[in-house]
């Protein structure tokens, strides 16, 4: 089975690496190829998602939801079928906005097992429950 | 961000996506991969291919980032294939080479692709060669291959690249002793990156000494660099550009031959597997070697 | 809670096995005599002042800020009115941490983020707005400048405003942190000066304060930022003192100011107060003891006043849960208890909405109220070092000291604290611990109430994240243009030119930084000089 590829990016300039690093490690251990790009602008995220032809984009969101929404819109318009999931310090109102765009969202306190499940599902490795 | 024509146009997501998807298909392997590569080889191509190799953490990615503006000025478009290791246990990988890139140069014609080795030995991925051929056909004029950080000297990149730069650091004396015979023969240029670290002088002397021992009239040069602040990078680029310009043009046909051979080998293996799976009882002799010889003989008879 | 059997081990965070109970025999013999000492006796693990909180309550000191400078000003005034006894300015991370102006492409790409976590202060005019009407002369002020490369600018801005208001710098009390852990270990910025340049900045600040601002705490090493990134309490201690050694060795090498004065300046530190109450209280006790021993043994300093380690504590932000956020009021209170039992001098309690956003006004008020309740109602302030002499606490204190010194020595053997940041060794340690901690909750070995158990999907107390103001970016952009339009352009250009020259020399950077602020040079222009002269730190990890 060909490994699935996930792009991991941070939308903000806030450099917390605790969460994203642990998630990346868990995804790798679950057999994914995880492409790290660190803090990236919308344009950089889209270019990376396209060039890398990933099966899933993971956004770590630390700041204002509008910055993240812009990245989501840009990825969805460049690659409409590419699923996205998001994690980070995302208050409830922002979670709802992201979910409305079809994202799965993992706020603080989410379990790694759930994040890995979601990656499996979103990349078609497992069926939706 | 205006130029969207042809290879690498930043706005041209369609062309980029097609290219990226071709590489994914190549990574998946099988007949489709070969077909894509063969179609690519029917196109004219003239890309130069530069290999960057060296031990883990030597600064290969940082150096590529520092070389990019020079390479772009010279070639107009640059594609990078950066290979990192896959875990042999889970098959997963953390591909971190992009983190070192300075994205200020990415609004030009840069295509960057991270590749997991997926168990392939020799410092590159199984899909690297075909990807180079596809990028060449798509009009990318320079392709840079970053091998995974290897300690061993089995450099498949030699067979792909027109020129190979070996990146080392000051203060690596011991591993150098172990490897020097192999490494020195494989590089067209040697980079002592992290030249801001102690031990540069000694490393330069050691390295130059061993390069002098090579059986060539014109041993490769050594370039000190600090990839992270650009020191020594213009000089290195000048040398690389010249080396690429003067490179013998045999590599493209080698990449083509390799593709043909791989096609043939795959076909052969497929046929052989089919033969083994056939109901014909394959074995009667007692000794394994006779057994194998017997098998092969009957296989070839069957093919005729 | 799952009952434990005889074979189950129980461990402190610092990887120290805990016994079911302790007796006098457990106290390591080397520490036994110290356990019997009184507060006020070296090495001060029991506290520096025998009268403890009776004579001097801790300072209620809350991180505060967002939006425009006037938004931050308003919040600080609100906190002071509610009982805060010092104030902290918080700067916008996008601009301040990176020394960018708001028109930098990296900031433009994220304009809505601007002002989300602190006010934008690009010139001394902004700082003056933020400080409007604040008691700079009578209060202990924190000028922000938590980030090493930002500190000289932030401090000079604060001091310039003070001068404009006619205050005597000699009498000004406050701090500015300038902490390596924050952006070289915990929250790594996109771009910052290399660690050696940072060390030079901090030594310059220490020298400048020694000469010009004797009451100022020039730098404040923040163990907090190491701990909240994953360092265990013993590692938090060990790395903090390894960091202090970098400063003191540098000051000693320069030989421009007396070492004991510099040491006194380095003795204002901050720690994280986390949720394991006894271990955290022991950590504060261990810290005082270690500082006293370090000064004596490494530098021959025995002056009591120098050995008085002053500790600011912040409760662990990462322990605040996203789910059922009201539970965090309890967590905040208990973490504050651990700090108070450890005898700290200054305390900030994270907001109950910490996992969702920066604190709302109400969350901030509650952080102050928690401290007031502890101070006024609980009797925690009645007796100095109330845990002193406990078999368990003395044993754990001694064990922490020992483990911390081991970690300290390991860092020194790897070239020192800064070398361990450059190589990524400290990051690897932190990541290892984080991963372990994560796996413990993941596997059910450790529980977090409201997160891994006691779920309640219909919590009536659900809150949403606080959003500050939405015009911080626009206003900052306007004000930036206004400063550039109305300042004396040649004066600013000259000051920046001299800054560049000083950066390239060995001279102290602070006098010329004061000139820059006076000439209304802006943050991004100063950052451009740094980028030109010092280049970028080579981030050792892939984040
Ligand atoms: N001091 C110094 N550090 C450097 C230099 N070049 C790279 N580095 C640092 O070395 C580390 C590794 O750099 P990379 O560019 O990722 O090295 P690499 O060879 O691509 O690493 P792998 O792909 O993992 O094998 C990073 O922390 C860089 O910042 C240099 O010239 N001087
Ligand atoms: Mg690399």
């Amino acid at each position: 089975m060909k490994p699935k590829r996930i792009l991991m990016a941070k939308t903000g300039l806030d450099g917390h690496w605790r969460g994203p690093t642990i998630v990346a490690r868990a995804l790798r251990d679950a057999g994914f190829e995880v492409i790290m790009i660190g803090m990236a602008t919308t344009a950089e995220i889209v270019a990376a998602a396209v060039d890398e032809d990933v099966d899933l984009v993971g956004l770590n969101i630390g700041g204002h939801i509008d910055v993240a929404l812009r990245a989501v819109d840009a990825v969805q318009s460049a690659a409409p079928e590419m699923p996205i999931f998001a994690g980070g310090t995302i208050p409830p109102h922002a979670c709802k906005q992201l979910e409305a765009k079809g994202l799965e969202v993992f706020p603080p306190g989410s379990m790694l097992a759930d994040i890995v499940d979601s990656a499996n599902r979103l990349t078609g490795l497992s069926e939706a429950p | 961000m205006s130029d969207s024509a042809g290879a690498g146009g930043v706005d041209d997501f369609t062309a980029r996506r097609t290219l990226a998807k071709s590489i994914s298909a190549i990574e998946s392997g099988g007949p489709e991969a070969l077909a894509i590569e063969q179609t690519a080889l029917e196109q004219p191509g003239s890309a130069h291919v530069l290999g960057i190799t060296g031990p883990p953490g030597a600064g290969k990615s940082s150096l590529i980032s520092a070389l990019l503006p020079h390479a772009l000025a010279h070639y107009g478009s640059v594609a990078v294939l950066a290979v990192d290791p896959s875990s042999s246990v889970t098959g997963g990988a953390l591909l971190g080479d992009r983190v070192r890139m300075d994205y200020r140069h990415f609004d030009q014609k840069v295509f960057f692709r991270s590749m997991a080795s997926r168990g392939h030995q020799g410092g590159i991925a199984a899909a690297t060669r075909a990807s180079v051929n596809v990028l060449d056909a798509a009009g990318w004029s320079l392709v840079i291959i970053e091998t995974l950080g290897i300690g061993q000297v089995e450099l498949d990149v030699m067979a792909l690249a027109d020129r190979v730069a070996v990146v080392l650091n000051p203060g690596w004396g011991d591993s150098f002793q172990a490897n020097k015979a192999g490494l020195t023969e494989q590089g067209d240029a040697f980079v002592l990156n992290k030249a801001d670290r102690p031990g540069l002088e000694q490393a330069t002397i050691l390295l130059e000494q061993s390069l002098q021992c090579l059986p060539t009239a014109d041993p490769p040069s050594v370039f000190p660099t600090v990839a992270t602040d650009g020191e020594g990078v213009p000089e290195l680029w000048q040398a690389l550009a010249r080396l690429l310009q003067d490179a013998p043009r045999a590599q493209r046909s080698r990449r083509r031959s390799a593709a043909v051979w791989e096609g043939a080998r795959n076909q052969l293996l497929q046929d052989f597997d089919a033969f083994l799976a056939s109901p014909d009882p394959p074995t009667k002799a007692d000794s394994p070697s006779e057994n194998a010889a017997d098998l092969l003989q009957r296989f070839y008879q069957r093919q005729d | 809670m799952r009952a434990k059997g005889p074979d189950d081990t129980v461990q402190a965070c610092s990887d120290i096995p805990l016994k079911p109970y302790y007796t006098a025999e457990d106290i390591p013999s080397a520490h036994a005599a110290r356990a019997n000492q009184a507060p006020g006796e070296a090495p001060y693990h029991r506290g520096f002042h025998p009268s403890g909180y009776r004579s001097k309550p801790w300072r209620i000191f809350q991180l505060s800020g967002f939006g425009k400078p006037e938004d931050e000003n308003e919040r600080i005034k609100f906190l002071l009115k509610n009982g805060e006894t010092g104030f902290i300015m918080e700067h916008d991370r996008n601009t301040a941490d990176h020394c960018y102006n708001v028109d930098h492409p990296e900031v433009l790409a994220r304009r809505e983020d601007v002002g989300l976590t602190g006010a934008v202060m690009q010139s001394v005019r902004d700082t003056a707005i933020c400080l409007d009407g604040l008691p700079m002369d009578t209060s202990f002020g924190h000028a922000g400048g938590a980030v090493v490369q930002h500190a000289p600018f932030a401090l000079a801005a604060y001091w310039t405003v003070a001068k404009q208001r006619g205050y005597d710098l000699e009498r000004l009390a406050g701090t500015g942190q300038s902490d390596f852990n924050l952006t070289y270990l915990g929250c790594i910025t996109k771009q910052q000066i290399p660690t050696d340049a940072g060390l030079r900045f901090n030594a310059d600040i220490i020298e400048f304060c020694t000469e010009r601002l004797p009451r100022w705490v020039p730098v404040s090493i923040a163990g907090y930022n190491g701990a909240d990134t994953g360092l265990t309490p013993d590692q938090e201690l060990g790395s903090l003192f390894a960091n202090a050694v970098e400063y003191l060795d540098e000051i000693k090498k320069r030989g421009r100011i007396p070492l004991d004065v510099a040491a006194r300046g380095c003795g204002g530190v901050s720690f994280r107060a986390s949720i394991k109450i006894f271990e955290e209280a022991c950590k504060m006790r261990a810290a005082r003891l270690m500082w006293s021993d370090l000064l004596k043994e490494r530098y021959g300093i025995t002056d009591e006043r120098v050995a008085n380690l002053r500790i600011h504590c912040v409760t662990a932000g990462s322990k605040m849960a996203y789910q059922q956020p009201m539970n965090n009021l309890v967590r905040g209170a208990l973490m504050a208890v651990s700090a108070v039992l450890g005898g700290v001098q200054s305390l900030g309690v994270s907001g109950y909405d910490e996992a969702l956003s920066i604190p709302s006004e109400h969350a901030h008020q509650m952080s102050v109220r928690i401290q007031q309740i502890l101070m006024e109602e609980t009797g925690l302030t009645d007796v100095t070092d109330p845990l002193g002499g406990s078999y368990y606490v003395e044993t754990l204190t001694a064990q922490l000291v020992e483990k911390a010194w081991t970690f300290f020595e390991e860092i020194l053997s790897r070239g020192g604290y800064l070398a361990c940041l450059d190589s990524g060794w400290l990051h690897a340690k932190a990541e290892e611990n984080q991963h372990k901690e994560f796996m413990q909750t993941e596997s059910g070995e450790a529980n977090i109430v409201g997160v891994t158990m006691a779920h309640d999907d219909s919590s009536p107390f659900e809150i949403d994240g606080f959003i500050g103001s939405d015009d911080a970016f626009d206003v900052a952009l306007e004000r930036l243009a206004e400063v550039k339009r109305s300042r004396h352009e040649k004066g600013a250009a000259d000051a920046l030119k001299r800054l560049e020259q000083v950066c390239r020399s060995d001279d102290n950077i602070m006098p010329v930084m004061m000139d820059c602020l006076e000439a209304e040079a802006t943050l991004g222009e100063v950052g451009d000089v740094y980028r030109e002269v010092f280049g970028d730190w080579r981030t050792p990890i892939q984040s």
Side-chain angles (χ1 to χ4, degrees):
Chain A
M1 184 74 210
K2 168 186 171 276
K4 296 291 184 182
R5 294 159 60 84
I6 305 179
L7 179 74
M8 295 280 280
K10 286 199 288 210
T11 57
L13 277 185
D14 170 335
H16 277 101
W17 54 275
R18 227 180 115 98
T21 305
I22 289 179
V23 171
R25 186 166 156 172
L27 291 170
R28 179 201 58 190
D29 292 345
F32 289 95
E33 290 177 1
V34 184
I35 298 152
M36 313 280 280
I37 63 170
M39 296 177 222
T41 62
T42 291
E44 291 159 3
I45 293 169
V46 174
V50 167
D51 282 11
E52 301 284 1
D53 187 35
V54 288
D55 303 288
L56 173 62
V57 175
L59 297 179
N60 178 261
I61 297 171
H64 199 286
I65 189 60
D66 286 356
V67 178
L69 290 174
R70 210 162 39 233
V72 169
D73 288 343
V75 170
Q76 288 181 339
S77 101
E81 77 294 347
M82 206 179 269
I84 309 176
F85 66 0
T89 306
I90 313 173
H93 69 268
C95 290
K96 291 192 189 91
Q97 282 174 278
L98 292 167
E99 281 160 1
K101 291 197 178 282
L103 273 67
E104 295 196 13
V105 185
F106 296 93
S110 301
M111 292 291 116
L112 289 176
D114 294 334
I115 297 174
V116 169
D117 278 352
S118 162
N120 279 324
R121 211 166 42 241
L122 291 170
T123 58
L125 290 176
S126 66
E127 297 286 310
Chain B
M1 293 265 239
S2 58
D3 188 352
S4 62
V10 182
D11 305 323
D12 193 355
F13 283 136
T14 325
R16 265 178 185 254
R17 292 211 75 199
T18 311
L19 178 61
K21 286 195 172 299
S22 303
I23 295 179
S24 300
I26 290 167
E27 283 199 293
S28 299
E32 198 198 341
L34 217 52
I36 292 172
E37 185 178 17
Q38 272 154 4
T39 312
L41 285 169
E42 281 156 22
Q43 313 286 316
S46 60
H48 284 169
V49 181
L50 173 63
I52 306 270
T53 188
K60 300 178 291 295
S61 304
S62 307
L63 205 57
I64 290 172
S65 177
L67 288 169
L68 259 185
H70 302 280
L72 281 166
H74 192 282
Y75 282 97
S77 68
V78 180
V80 181
L81 297 173
V83 187
D84 275 324
S86 300
S87 154
S88 54
V89 184
T90 64
L94 278 186
L95 308 177
D97 297 313
R98 257 183 189 273
V99 175
R100 306 286 172 218
M101 294 302 127
D102 181 344
Y103 285 102
R104 275 174 296 184
H105 309 301
F106 274 59
D107 57 357
Q108 298 177 61
K109 290 186 180 177
V110 180
F111 180 89
F112 192 107
R113 180 72 174 217
S114 312
M115 274 188 166
S117 65
R118 297 193 181 174
H120 191 76
Q121 300 296 310
I124 56 175
T128 307
R129 182 203 64 233
S131 302
V132 170
N133 286 330
V134 165
L135 287 163
D136 188 3
W140 292 83
S141 24
L142 176 66
V143 181
I144 302 179
I145 303 169
E146 177 183 338
T147 73
L148 58 82
I150 39 170
Q152 299 299 312
V153 201
E154 25 167 343
L155 298 179
D156 285 3
V157 70
M158 293 275 303
L160 291 187
D162 299 308
R163 295 296 190 182
V164 173
V166 179
V167 185
L168 301 165
N169 302 134
W172 46 279
D174 291 343
S175 63
F176 171 62
Q177 292 305 334
N179 285 332
K180 65 179 171 190
L183 265 181
T184 44
E185 280 160 25
Q186 313 225 15
D188 300 294
F190 286 80
V191 186
L192 277 173
N193 185 46
K194 307 196 185 183
D196 51 328
R197 296 256 174 97
L200 174 67
E201 211 168 308
Q202 202 203 349
T204 313
I205 294 169
L206 269 174
L207 184 54
E208 280 176 345
Q209 271 171 1
S210 19
L211 293 171
Q212 297 301 331
C213 300
L214 289 178
T216 77
D218 195 13
S221 309
V222 177
F223 300 89
T225 59
V226 182
T228 40
D229 61 19
E231 218 173 294
V233 173
E235 293 80 2
L236 173 64
W237 171 254
Q238 264 183 4
L240 290 176
R242 202 169 326 110
L243 280 167
L244 286 164
Q245 212 58 56
D246 300 345
R249 303 307 297 148
Q251 285 300 67
R252 183 163 195 271
S253 52
R254 275 170 74 177
R255 291 195 298 268
R256 174 193 293 269
S257 314
V260 174
W261 294 335
E262 186 176 317
R265 183 168 60 229
N266 288 353
Q267 190 61 53
L268 188 64
L269 285 176
Q270 214 176 324
D271 293 346
F272 191 62
D273 283 345
F275 166 71
L276 288 183
S278 64
D280 209 0
T283 165
K284 52 184 194 296
D286 290 335
S287 113
S289 64
E290 278 174 34
N291 228 330
D294 178 53
L295 256 181
L296 277 177
Q297 198 183 8
R298 281 188 295 130
F299 170 68
Y300 289 129
Q301 277 165 0
R302 175 87 53 94
Q303 299 303 309
D304 287 338
Chain C
M1 195 181 113
R2 188 173 57 88
K4 299 199 171 53
D7 295 337
D8 285 331
T9 53
V10 177
Q11 291 221 314
C13 295
S14 303
D15 222 3
I16 295 169
L18 296 181
K19 300 176 58 172
Y21 61 88
Y22 287 75
T23 66
E25 268 80 77
D26 292 307
I27 303 177
S29 53
H31 185 77
R34 290 176 158 185
N36 288 326
Q37 284 180 306
E41 292 175 12
Y44 309 113
H45 52 292
R46 301 208 55 199
F48 187 77
H49 295 289
S51 56
Y53 294 130
R54 289 189 186 193
S55 54
K56 196 166 187 204
W58 67 86
R59 176 187 303 124
I60 301 177
F61 209 39
Q62 292 290 142
L63 201 65
S64 47
F66 62 91
K68 307 182 292 298
E70 47 270 57
D71 298 324
E72 181 154 319
N73 176 270
E74 193 185 315
R75 180 61 71 84
I76 291 174
K77 283 178 177 160
F78 170 82
L79 283 167
L80 287 169
K81 197 181 89 200
N82 274 277
E84 189 181 41
T85 51
F87 63 88
I88 307 182
M89 292 162 70
E90 176 74 305
H91 297 253
D92 167 58
R93 310 207 58 157
N94 299 274
T95 48
D97 294 11
H98 296 85
C99 294
Y100 292 151
N101 283 340
V102 280
D103 59 357
H104 188 284
E106 291 287 351
V107 182
L108 288 175
R110 304 168 174 87
R111 61 185 70 203
E112 298 88 346
D113 281 352
V114 169
L116 208 60
T117 52
V120 191
M121 286 176 260
Q122 303 171 98
S123 78
V124 72
R125 294 187 200 178
D126 295 336
T127 309
I129 298 173
C130 185
L131 285 166
D132 185 50
L134 296 185
M136 295 175 77
D137 52 341
T138 54
S139 227
F140 190 86
H142 186 317
V147 173
V148 173
Q149 70 171 356
H150 181 233
F153 184 91
L155 291 172
Y158 188 96
W159 298 335
T160 303
V161 172
K163 273 171 67 179
Q164 288 169 353
R165 299 203 178 146
Y167 299 135
D168 184 1
L169 291 192
E170 293 259 340
R171 302 205 37 77
L172 215 57
T175 185
Q177 208 172 59
S178 197
D179 174 54
F180 276 99
N181 280 335
L182 178 53
T183 56
Y184 292 87
L185 180 61
C187 299
I188 298 176
T189 48
K190 181 127 188 146
Q191 197 179 48
Q192 61 188 333
I193 57 172
T195 50
D196 53 350
L199 175 62
R200 177 245 173 119
F201 279 17
N202 279 358
D204 285 353
I205 294 171
I206 294 171
E207 286 177 353
F208 187 80
C209 288
T210 300
E211 280 157 14
R212 302 279 303 279
L213 293 105
R215 299 185 59 202
W216 197 268
V217 178
V219 296
S220 176
I221 305 174
Y224 178 96
N225 294 317
D228 231 37
T229 307
L231 296 186
T232 51
D234 57 319
Q235 295 172 343
E236 183 185 2
L237 287 164
S239 60
L240 183 135
F241 291 115
N243 185 349
V245 160
E246 295 272 9
Y247 297 162
L248 292 178
D249 286 358
E250 173 70 14
I251 293 290
K252 195 171 161 187
K253 194 175 89 203
R254 292 180 173 200
R256 296 182 200 150
I257 56 167
L259 190 63
D260 53 349
V261 182
R264 162 104 186 128
C266 291
V269 300
S270 84
F271 283 104
R272 180 173 83 150
S274 192
I275 196 87
K276 303 287 183 198
I277 294 178
F278 290 101
E279 190 174 7
E280 294 300 300
C282 290
K283 180 174 77 186
M284 314 304 167
R285 306 173 89 244
R288 285 188 296 268
L289 186 156
M290 291 176 73
W291 181 237
S292 170
D293 280 356
L294 177 73
L295 290 178
K296 192 164 82 206
E297 279 154 32
R298 192 177 170 100
Y299 301 104
I301 297 172
T302 50
D303 182 340
E304 284 206 347
R305 284 190 23 230
V306 179
N308 174 14
L309 187 74
R310 288 97 59 218
I311 301 175
H312 170 61
C313 245
V314 183
T315 62
S318 63
K319 294 292 173 213
M320 295 305 210
Y322 181 90
Q323 291 76 8
Q324 302 177 22
M326 288 303 154
N327 294 346
N328 294 330
L329 286 169
V330 181
R331 294 191 178 98
L334 291 173
M335 293 192 277
V337 166
S338 78
V340 171
L341 287 173
V344 305
Q345 280 63 51
S346 166
L347 181 59
V349 174
S350 352
Y352 61 74
D353 51 3
E354 167 87 18
L356 292 97
S357 64
I358 58 159
S360 66
E361 209 169 65
H362 184 249
H364 248 150
Q365 188 179 47
M366 291 311 296
S367 295
V368 174
R369 293 287 176 268
I370 285 171
Q371 298 197 52
Q372 289 166 325
I373 291 168
L374 295 185
M375 208 178 265
E376 305 292 337
E377 301 182 23
T378 61
L380 273 171
T381 57
D382 291 347
V383 171
T384 308
D385 190 30
L387 298 183
S390 145
Y391 305 133
Y392 171 39
V393 167
E394 295 298 351
T395 304
L396 190 56
T397 302
Q399 288 173 326
L400 271 176
V401 168
E402 196 190 321
K403 285 208 78 171
W405 281 135
T406 306
F407 195 68
F408 171 93
E409 291 299 342
E410 178 147 19
I411 292 174
L412 263 54
S413 75
R414 290 171 185 277
Y417 167 77
L418 295 179
C420 288
L421 289 179
D422 289 340
S423 69
W425 186 80
L426 274 171
H427 307 77
K429 286 280 164 197
E431 194 197 326
E432 217 174 277
N433 298 336
Q434 280 169 32
H435 193 255
K436 196 170 119 194
E437 200 183 316
F438 236 88
M439 285 332 213
Q440 279 167 351
T441 37
E442 197 87 6
S443 67
E445 203 180 312
N447 266 317
I448 304 170
V449 174
V451 181
T452 63
M453 61 174 285
H455 299 282
D456 174 10
D457 289 338
S458 60
S459 168
F461 302 115
E462 192 184 316
I463 52 156
D464 212 336
F466 170 75
I467 305 176
S469 50
D470 55 11
D471 57 351
F473 172 83
D474 294 334
V475 170
L477 201 60
E478 260 167 46
R479 286 185 181 159
L480 179 64
E482 177 57 28
V483 166
K484 290 194 173 171
R485 190 161 53 230
S486 59
R487 71 181 174 188
H488 182 259
E489 195 52 43
K490 176 148 189 326
D494 284 352
L496 284 164
K497 180 124 214 103
R498 272 183 292 119
L499 174 66
E500 183 181 340
Q501 284 159 358
V502 170
C503 282
R504 291 190 195 282
S505 77
D506 288 337
D507 294 348
N508 194 305
I509 191 182
M510 291 314 295
V512 68
M513 189 62 73
M514 293 293 286
D515 294 346
C516 283
L517 270 292
E518 206 147 334
E520 302 195 297
T522 60
L523 176 65
E525 292 167 309
V526 167
D528 286 342
V529 172
Y530 294 166
R531 286 180 275 277
E532 177 64 31
V533 176
F534 301 116
D536 255 9
W537 185 53
R538 290 124 198 171
T539 309
I541 58 159
Q542 295 163 352
S543 51

